[in-house]
Amino acid sequence: MILLENVSKSFKNGVHALRDVNLYIEEGEFVYIIGPTGSGKSTLIKLLDGELIPSSGRVVVAGTDVGKLRHSKVPLYRRNIGVVFQDFRLLPELTVFENIAFALQVIGLDKVTIRRRVREILELVSLEDKAKSFPRELSGGQQQRATIGRAIANSPRVLIADEPTGNLDPEKSQEIMELLEKINQEENTTILMVTHDSNLVDMNKKRTIALEEGYIVADIQKGGYIHHD
Amino acid sequence: MIQFFKSIPFHMRSAVKSLVRHLVMTLSAASAVMVTLVLLAAFLMIAGNVSGFTNHIEDDIRIHAVLGEDIVSEEQLQTAKAEIEAIEGVKEAELSSKENELKLWIAEKGEIFSIYEGENNPLHNAFFVSVNDPDNIAAISEDIISLDIVDDAMYGGNSISQLISMLNTVRSGIIIFVGLLGFLAIFLISNTIKMGIYARTNEISIMRNVGATNSFIKTPFMIEGMIIGLLGSVLPCIGAYFGYSYLYKAMGGQLFSNVFAFQPINPFVFEIIGILVITGMLVGILGSFLSTTKYLHWKR
């Protein structure tokens, strides 16, 4: 599903964000990406969703060579990928229902389909009773569930979660974890989760990829957080 | 395409919302369009009428070439015609016989000259020579005089050709001015749209994230620009209609004489209004196209 071949990315200011990264992630996998700030995690995400072009090497997602996409084709490619952010990024003047529907409106689905799909999603993320609430009326965990709902609304094949639990307390974090696992299983979505949260990684053991200074320093199938001295 | 039409209500809503939110910028951009269009309207009216005038006047610009006394036979007249028409820049030479010359003379100077009719006619045969380009009329007239068969050649005077070239200068001056103002209007519109874009960066980044195409993101801004252009064209259109009608009636449909007849109100003003509305919309669309394209291509 995701293939990185000898991928390097350096910026004009001389920063080498990624160096010769090789990575293969199967369809339906659930993978953690861990590493300290500045280790290249954000760059990796931006390469995957087409925002950046690798300086060398190939990034292939769902059969598309992402680095070779034309500017106008990037949006179509992006419909394969859902992204969840630490800071939610819900539209404050829209209700939860409208926020999720928004993701479907902008790709031009018709009203009936949108309504049906949004109901499904609300059920999946357990926000049926909050459909008419505005983001400010929700708790952090609920907001993050709404964001996840929006990210998976158009059934992307890959879901990238950039520190989805960064702003949440441990209890709510576990709730989000369970939701992501459910999506992973029920929709067979490949999930990449970038995180700092060592407890979470230790509690829910999955394949863990550790980045440091742009290198992959560990790729552990059985999982667990790698602690530094 | 069907998808595009289905999403029009969505685009319209976000366009109107954004316009209201940036009311001051909207109004300033719309007034820039307005000023441009007022001048464009003035230009179109002047240009439309001037070209009408010039057509009238150009018909009147002919060289009157009076032949020598001895050129009387049909054969000689044919040769003279050929000789004159051979001069570069001459469009046509039209014969005006002695008798015709006298008639014109009588018409101009008075009935008293009718005593010369018949055998006593002292006038010579002549040609009315029309030219391709009125600017060269002086030179052509010289050439005609230098022919042996021609006694004298006169034309309607310098004043008319000067008038034409003056009108042409005015016309190109206004074109340049309108062009510059158009740029200003486009610039102001693209700035207004930029405000709208910055106010909605969050929304746009989410749209990009969930895979909205560039054209989908651009459409509401283009509509916004179009509405600004339309708003700006309302007053100029009204002004053009009433202004021209008023002038037309006040001047009795002509300037000084019927050589300078104004274009009739009915098709002319409505053509101008059509041009104004279309120009306003195009300027608006172009302005917002520039700023959205710049913004969207800045990122992937």
Side-chain angles (χ1 to χ4, degrees), chain A residues 22-75:
Chain A
N22 285 288
L23 184 62
Y24 180 69
I25 295 169
E26 290 270 5
E27 176 153 22
E29 263 192 280
F30 193 135
V31 179
Y32 292 121
I33 296 180
I34 61 171
T37 311
S39 57
K41 293 172 306 201
S42 314
T43 306
L44 180 63
I45 292 176
K46 285 177 181 166
L47 285 173
L48 289 173
D49 86 343
E51 203 177 317
L52 292 175
I53 299 171
S55 308
S56 64
R58 248 164 31 109
V59 178
V60 182
V61 179
T64 309
D65 190 337
V66 184
K68 289 213 167 66
L69 279 175
R70 282 175 42 206
H71 189 278
S72 58
K73 298 287 177 218
V74 174

Side-chain angles (χ1 to χ4, degrees), chain A residues 70-94:
Chain A
R70 282 175 42 206
H71 189 278
S72 58
K73 298 287 177 218
V74 174
L76 299 178
Y77 158 75
R78 222 166 252 158
R79 295 178 186 182
N80 293 316
I81 296 185
V83 185
V84 174
F85 305 95
Q86 179 178 2
D87 54 358
F88 315 141
R89 300 197 194 169
L90 293 165
L91 293 170
E93 70 274 23
L94 301 183

Side-chain angles (χ1 to χ4, degrees), chain A residues 70-73, chain B residues 208 214-215 218 289-300:
Chain A
R70 282 175 42 206
H71 189 278
S72 58
K73 298 287 177 218
Chain B
R208 299 181 69 105
N214 289 343
S215 54
K218 273 183 204 172
F289 178 79
L290 290 178
S291 57
T292 45
T293 307
K294 199 170 150 201
Y295 179 81
L296 287 175
H297 281 253
W298 173 58
K299 272 178 153 187
R300 242 164 90 91

